[in-house]
Amino acid sequence: MAVQKLTRRLTYPPALVAQVQRAVQGRPLEGFVPGEGPFPTRVMVVGEAPGRQEIETGHPFVGASGQELTKLLALAGLQRSAVYITSVVRSRPYHLRHGHDRAGQAVVKRPNRTPTKREVAAFAPLFDWEIAMVAPEIVIPLGNTALQRLVGPQATIGVLHGQVLKTPVLTWQDDQYSPGNKPVWVVPMYHPAAYLYARRLEATVRNDWAQLGAWLQAQRTDH
């Protein structure tokens, strides 16, 4: 009997959310953006952390990066509504930057930053629970933070982008990461923001997603 798929949001266990909030208390993080999409589902896309627009809207991958992600998914023959989208850190990491506005008045800005390893670990129990609930066959990490959370610190997008790997993903147990029991397909990809800032990567990124589409089609044919 097929499992019915509904586009909705998981209801996170309150105790688990409270545990994460205690772990990041006092850290320069704001808001909380839940994952979004059908579950269980075949494909899960994993980003780094929400940005300002994600916090404002409450949805993952909106704005310029989100628009590019939708286009890249289409290159692989995937509709955004058919994949589950989340991130390894669910709150926006920021740092303080002191400066002046055009009128010369002192201002403090809070631009995005990369989450620390400690912050990624703080959210790890919630992320582990989410993967278990979504039960994806294929996980697509976008960028190094997501990739290393899944398979370890030795992995880099620059080396592994576009490759199809069959591997267990790491889970957080006893204050450390350990390989899970069930291997899944992991397909590392550059974050959409990467080629928005470095246009030389655009052809590579688009080719990676097109090749993913060919692999997905072959998988369907084999079945």
Side-chain angles (χ1 to χ4, degrees), residues 6-201:
L6 300 174
T7 301
R8 56 182 182 180
R9 293 184 174 187
L10 289 165
T11 300
Y12 300 102
L16 196 53
V17 174
Q19 174 187 335
V20 171
Q21 291 174 336
R22 287 193 299 271
V24 298
Q25 188 172 10
R27 306 288 298 178
L29 299 163
E30 67 172 354
F32 184 95
V33 177
E36 197 169 76
F39 59 91
T41 195
R42 187 184 185 204
V43 179
M44 183 180 196
V45 176
V46 182
E48 177 180 276
R52 182 176 287 106
Q53 287 179 291
E54 285 75 21
I55 293 299
E56 291 173 354
T57 63
H59 297 283
F61 275 94
V62 295
S65 289
Q67 292 170 15
E68 292 303 316
L69 176 60
T70 301
K71 295 175 185 176
L72 295 171
L73 287 167
L75 282 177
L78 295 169
Q79 293 184 342
R80 180 172 173 138
S81 60
V83 304
Y84 189 91
I85 301 175
T86 189
S87 57
V88 296
V89 169
R90 316 307 287 282
S91 300
R92 182 176 85 93
Y94 65 87
H95 63 87
L96 299 179
R97 179 181 297 170
H98 297 270
H100 295 83
D101 61 19
R102 293 181 179 179
Q105 298 294 318
V107 294
V108 178
K109 298 182 179 181
R110 302 199 302 177
N112 297 337
R113 63 171 173 82
T114 301
T116 66
K117 291 181 180 180
R118 177 179 172 185
E119 289 162 349
V120 173
F123 279 86
L126 195 64
F127 182 65
D128 290 343
W129 179 87
E130 190 167 33
I131 288 183
M133 293 298 102
V134 177
E137 297 175 23
I138 303 161
V139 183
I140 304 174
L142 304 176
N144 281 326
T145 300
L147 173 60
Q148 291 171 3
R149 166 61 181 87
L150 287 165
V151 302
Q154 75 287 348
T156 64
I157 288 292
V159 173
L160 296 177
H161 66 89
Q163 296 186 33
V164 179
L165 315 171
K166 191 67 175 285
T167 179
V169 299
L170 298 178
T171 60
W172 184 253
Q173 300 176 19
D174 300 323
D175 294 329
Q176 63 182 355
Y177 293 111
S178 301
N181 296 322
K182 182 182 177 182
V184 297
W185 296 108
V186 176
V187 188
M189 293 291 190
Y190 280 105
H191 194 285
Y195 78 80
L196 291 177
Y197 292 106
R199 284 294 177 181
R200 69 183 184 279
L201 292 174

